[in-house]
Amino acid sequence: MSTTPTISVRGVGRASATPDRAIISFHISAINQSYAESIEHLNERVAGLRERLEKAGIKGTDLKTASFSIQPEHEYRGKADDKRTVFVGWRSRHNMRLDLPVD
């Protein structure tokens, strides 16, 4: 009979803490027939968000980019037996996050 030493641990633990940071995500998108105008429209919307943050007492520069993309967007149009892909426009997306201390 072999006796291998073993250690067994049993128990329950709990931990709690008050959050010290709040992370808020913003997802803004724009679509336009022109690549440049899609980006311009998106940038206008982002600038508006930054202005609103400034009015709320948050530095607009605290808003950081999480991701940015621009892609062509298409949809199917036509009759059921004759569907065609049609270019809708350029979809630009800007995902941002705001990391704030919780006071």
Side-chain angles (χ1 to χ4, degrees):
M1 185 155 66
S2 171
T3 58
T4 305
T6 60
I7 297 175
S8 297
V9 177
R10 293 181 189 225
V12 176
R14 294 177 194 253
S16 65
T18 304
D20 60 351
R21 312 283 309 155
I23 298 174
I24 304 168
S25 297
F26 297 91
H27 308 284
I28 298 177
S29 70
I31 189 165
N32 197 291
Q33 290 288 312
S34 162
Y35 185 96
E37 288 178 15
S38 180
I39 292 176
E40 183 178 329
H41 185 210
L42 181 69
N43 288 339
E44 289 169 0
R45 296 182 76 189
V46 171
L49 174 60
R50 289 186 195 280
E51 288 174 20
R52 288 179 186 91
L53 289 172
E54 293 280 349
K55 287 179 182 177
I58 299 167
K59 291 189 288 186
T61 55
D62 287 346
L63 188 62
K64 303 298 181 187
T65 296
S67 67
F68 175 86
S69 69
I70 184 162
Q71 299 175 331
E73 188 161 306
H74 298 84
E75 64 182 39
Y76 289 104
R77 293 185 185 162
K79 298 179 182 177
D81 59 340
D82 187 26
K83 293 261 186 196
R84 296 176 188 208
T85 302
V86 177
F87 175 72
V88 176
W90 291 96
R91 169 78 63 185
S92 52
R93 292 181 176 92
H94 197 162
N95 298 324
M96 294 158 290
R97 62 184 270 164
L98 188 60
D99 189 349
L100 300 170
V102 175
D103 295 334

